[in-house]
Amino acid sequence: MTDVESLLRELAPQVLAALVRRYGDFGTCEDAVQEALLAAYRQWPAEGVPDHPKGWLITTASRRRIELWRSETARQRREETVALAEPPHPEPVSGVDDTLTLLLLCCHPSLTRPSQVALTLRAVGGLTTAEIARAFLVPEATIGQRISRAKQKLRGERLTGDERGERPERLAAVLQVLYLIFTEGHTASSGDALSRVELTTEAIRLVRRLRAELPDDGEVTGLLALMLLTEARRPARVDATGALVPLAEQDRTRWNRAFIDEGVALITRALATAPVGPYQLQAAIAAVHDEAVTSGETGWAEILTLYDLLRVVAPGPMVTLNRVVAFAQVHGPEAGLAELEEAAKDLAGHHRVDAVRAHLLERSGDPAAAREAYLAAARRTLSLPEQAYLQSRAAALQPS
């Protein structure tokens, strides 16, 4: 990404927030900002970046917004001719970063979760509709419809500051949306790529921006730590052929040490200074994994304790399933299989249940049953790298 692209992506949500705060009508303002960004992308590399790039974008977008407004209200042109004959004065540029407020608006409770994700990536992340569609492997028209419906629902919404008054409820949705973006990027739910770096990178960038506004929020810090500690392992998750490498077999020298150090520092501070929440506990678990020099040195007893806490703070079927893995590491595969049967009730048909069952059966000395479970997991996943890995595990257990 060029310096101009990086600058535009950083300024886009601030410019959009300024227009929505002044004019309302999210959809028209977002269209105007997109055109201003396109103009800057064309002009700035050749003419140079203006002395006040944010002000330039706000002024350009404001002019375009008025043009769009005029077009939509042609029948009122005569009454508005005098008032709108002159181009708008340059907009005063606030030093306030409205990224949080815009995130809260994009995660408005009237929107569905898929619409919140798409709108956040478009309006705050600066991704194009085509980029979002490619990342989620859905038709561009589908993403376009989600964004269009979301903007229609937000029609007339104006940034008033009330969003921040509703912050506890809205912030939970923001964090969940950003986490969903990251998890889809970390392990794509379908397709031939294991991960989608553009999504993990964007999620980390947005959480960094969020933490800049809320440095003392333990869960915001915990989510950033969790993302960094998880993303740190990405370079070792596939081998030279692109095949998936499980955590226990990864070359840990390839892990991103800078991300690990930053993530550990963040979660250590958050746990010491803020009420404990689910993102912090997940980050603490990731830190135990990342700080182990070898797989054999992993502190599984500590991880199991953290999962026990997480199951109380934020119970859920995937938490229960992940706890089974830790439980089996501490108490043995047979004990893990007994725990798995209870966990499987809430995740019937999920490929990860079959994958965990296969792993535990293999460890307990039942290769035939393990092979069948690996094949069942392979049939149920839409991720081609995961499918290939599970099939290879099954093939390794084929009787000779």
Side-chain angles (χ1 to χ4, degrees):
M1 185 181 292
T2 66
D3 291 342
V4 167
E5 287 177 302
S6 298
L7 179 60
L8 291 176
R9 182 159 289 187
E10 177 184 348
L11 292 176
Q14 301 176 45
V15 175
L16 177 56
L19 259 69
V20 174
R21 185 180 294 282
R22 177 176 176 126
Y23 300 111
D25 192 357
F26 185 98
T28 304
C29 290
E30 203 266 344
D31 291 340
V33 171
Q34 290 297 318
E35 295 201 24
L37 293 172
L38 181 60
Y41 184 77
R42 289 171 174 166
Q43 295 178 34
W44 291 3
E47 302 175 7
V49 176
D51 292 337
H52 303 288
K54 180 178 174 181
W56 188 98
L57 287 168
I58 290 175
T59 299
T60 303
S62 294
R63 286 177 175 147
R64 182 55 184 148
R65 189 265 172 199
I66 288 176
E67 290 171 6
L68 292 170
W69 183 86
R70 280 174 168 171
S71 176
E72 292 174 359
T73 57
R75 65 183 181 278
Q76 300 177 3
R77 282 183 179 175
R78 290 183 180 177
E79 291 87 346
E80 303 296 336
T81 297
V82 175
L84 299 175
E86 296 298 323
H89 296 293
E91 298 286 334
V93 180
S94 168
V96 176
D97 185 346
D98 270 325
T99 299
L100 171 59
T101 308
L102 191 59
L103 275 168
L104 294 173
L105 182 60
C106 289
C107 294
H108 195 282
S110 69
L111 303 180
T112 65
R113 188 67 80 221
S115 293
Q116 290 174 339
V117 169
L119 192 62
T120 297
L121 286 173
R122 170 69 181 266
V124 189
L127 273 65
T128 65
T129 304
E131 287 173 328
I132 301 168
R134 283 197 299 271
F136 285 93
L137 295 181
V138 297
E140 186 174 343
T142 300
I143 295 297
Q145 288 168 2
R146 288 177 187 172
I147 293 173
S148 178
R149 285 195 297 265
K151 291 196 291 187
Q152 188 63 33
K153 282 198 171 184
L154 295 181
R155 193 175 188 84
E157 289 283 338
R158 188 185 294 266
L159 298 186
T160 62
D162 293 341
E163 301 86 2
R164 291 177 181 245
E166 303 168 0
R167 198 178 79 190
E169 298 80 11
R170 295 264 194 115
L171 183 58
V174 169
L175 294 179
Q176 187 177 16
V177 164
L178 296 178
Y179 187 47
L180 283 172
I181 293 169
F182 179 83
T183 53
E184 177 62 27
H186 179 67
T187 302
S189 56
S190 60
D192 57 4
L194 178 64
S195 60
R196 305 191 188 287
V197 180
E198 69 274 21
L199 286 182
T200 55
T201 300
E202 191 57 30
I204 290 171
R205 186 184 76 85
L206 291 177
V207 177
R208 285 194 189 279
R209 295 291 300 278
L210 192 57
R211 186 172 180 271
E213 291 206 40
L214 301 171
D216 298 322
D217 189 293
E219 280 293 82
V220 174
T221 300
L223 181 56
L224 177 56
L226 174 59
M227 289 182 177
L228 292 171
L229 291 164
T230 304
E231 182 70 359
R233 301 193 290 265
R234 182 177 55 80
R237 292 181 71 218
V238 295
D239 63 18
T241 68
L244 186 151
V245 180
L247 179 61
E249 300 172 20
Q250 289 176 12
D251 177 1
R252 298 179 178 226
T253 63
R254 297 181 61 198
W255 288 359
N256 186 325
R257 180 51 55 183
F259 274 12
I260 293 173
D261 291 343
E262 183 182 0
V264 168
L266 285 169
I267 189 55
T268 300
R269 178 182 180 276
L271 289 173
T273 60
V276 175
Y279 292 117
Q280 294 168 69
L281 290 171
Q282 291 178 77
I285 292 167
V288 176
H289 281 296
D290 286 13
E291 291 188 292
V293 177
T294 66
S295 175
E297 296 175 58
T298 303
W300 284 108
E302 183 179 356
I303 289 174
L304 179 57
T305 298
L306 289 167
Y307 270 121
D308 286 336
L309 289 171
L310 185 59
R311 194 164 58 161
V312 173
V313 173
M318 291 307 297
V319 171
T320 301
L321 183 61
N322 289 331
R323 179 189 172 276
V324 167
V325 176
F327 187 87
Q329 290 289 343
V330 175
H331 298 289
E334 291 81 4
L337 284 166
E339 290 278 312
L340 180 62
E341 294 315 307
E342 184 64 29
K345 294 177 182 178
D346 294 325
L347 284 168
H350 198 293
H351 78 279
R352 295 200 187 281
V353 173
D354 291 309
V356 171
R357 180 179 290 113
H359 174 66
L360 297 181
L361 286 168
E362 184 177 0
R363 284 184 56 203
S364 67
D366 191 346
R371 180 175 181 275
E372 291 306 312
Y374 278 127
L375 291 174
R379 287 192 297 269
R380 284 175 169 151
T381 181
L382 298 177
S383 168
L384 297 183
E386 285 190 329
Q387 195 177 92
Y389 169 74
L390 293 165
Q391 289 170 341
S392 72
R393 297 298 301 176
L397 298 174
Q398 178 74 37
S400 55

